[in-house]
Amino acid sequence: MPPATHTVRLRSLNRWQAEDLRADLADLYVESCATAPGWEHRGREEFLRRLAGGIRQPGFAMLAAEAPGLVGCAFGYPVRRDGSWWSGFRGVLPREVGQLTASGQVFAMTGMVVHPSERNRGLAGRLQERLFAGRQATLGATLVDRANRAACAGFRSWGWQDIGVVYRPPGPTVLRALVLPLAERTAAQAGGPAHHARTQRLKENQR
């Protein structure tokens, strides 16, 4: 356990730096996930596939958290305007989400890992905030395994809104589709009307 006074530094990585760190990032992922015996290899390979897919996307961005060793990361990329990121969404995608996607205003956070030693120190929130800061987007998006109730609850506690489920083959995995209004985060702190209007529209679309 790091000392209470330790400092965590956030560092932006480009796609080549992320590629160079892929083995360390995968080690962090395995170490940070509560797993059943024998899961480690499969989980590691799944993480590496997800990371490699993200690195290939235009606009890929990653933050690494160091203290001084690697203790966390978050990464993602702008959602394509063709809406392919929402492939497998069950039902009708909320109209506003579809409109923002078509206008290039959605940024997907496709991965976040925080070492257990940092989970009560606010690192996840810092990573999320910094990853979205300065992006040309008004909506954040992410997909979370529906079976991972702790992760789903954590995202909701940060203001993410559940808009439905996504089915992704192969396998039976069902993912919760979560979105986070970005443009009104400042207004949200002040209870601004723009934030409340968008939040209400998204909630109505969930019914």
Side-chain angles (χ1 to χ4, degrees):
M1 174 73 70
T5 57
H6 82 302
T7 299
V8 176
R9 181 174 69 102
L10 302 187
R11 180 166 64 100
S12 296
L13 304 180
N14 58 35
R15 65 182 69 244
W16 297 280
Q17 292 170 320
E19 180 67 34
D20 288 342
L21 276 179
R22 62 191 300 273
D24 292 336
L25 292 166
D27 289 343
L28 173 67
Y29 177 77
V30 172
E31 185 177 356
S32 301
C33 294
T35 63
W39 176 91
E40 290 84 353
H41 176 73
R42 181 165 54 88
R44 180 187 177 88
E45 292 304 308
E46 162 59 26
F47 174 81
L48 287 172
R49 281 195 296 272
R50 184 153 37 98
L51 176 62
I55 287 174
R56 291 193 295 268
Q57 296 296 323
F60 172 81
M62 171 176 275
L63 283 174
E66 301 166 327
L70 190 64
V71 293
C73 70
F75 55 92
Y77 51 85
V79 170
R80 293 177 181 270
R81 293 172 183 256
D82 62 7
S84 56
W85 196 82
W86 300 105
S87 175
F89 188 88
R90 184 172 184 177
V92 179
L93 189 70
R95 183 175 63 179
E96 186 169 10
V97 175
Q99 291 172 341
L100 291 174
T101 299
S103 62
Q105 293 296 306
V106 182
F107 188 92
M109 182 171 68
T110 57
M112 178 189 285
V113 183
V114 175
H115 191 273
S117 66
E118 299 296 326
R119 286 180 183 163
N120 295 321
R121 300 175 184 267
L123 179 57
R126 288 181 59 197
L127 283 167
Q128 172 183 288
E129 195 71 23
R130 280 282 300 276
L131 183 67
F132 287 129
R135 304 292 168 200
Q136 297 299 312
T138 57
L139 191 71
T142 195
L143 300 175
V144 181
D145 188 337
R146 185 170 65 176
N148 192 338
R149 295 183 179 180
C152 290
F155 277 101
R156 292 190 187 102
S157 73
W158 299 327
W160 291 75
Q161 298 160 29
D162 190 332
I163 62 170
V165 295
V166 170
Y167 291 85
R168 287 282 171 84
T173 300
V174 179
L175 305 169
R176 301 244 45 118
L178 305 172
V179 296
L180 178 69
L182 301 177
E184 295 89 14
R185 279 180 295 173
T186 300
Q189 296 171 358
H195 169 79
H196 289 302
R198 173 162 290 176
T199 298
Q200 186 61 36
R201 288 196 298 272
L202 288 170
K203 287 182 177 179
E204 289 173 353
N205 282 320
Q206 297 171 36
R207 297 172 183 170

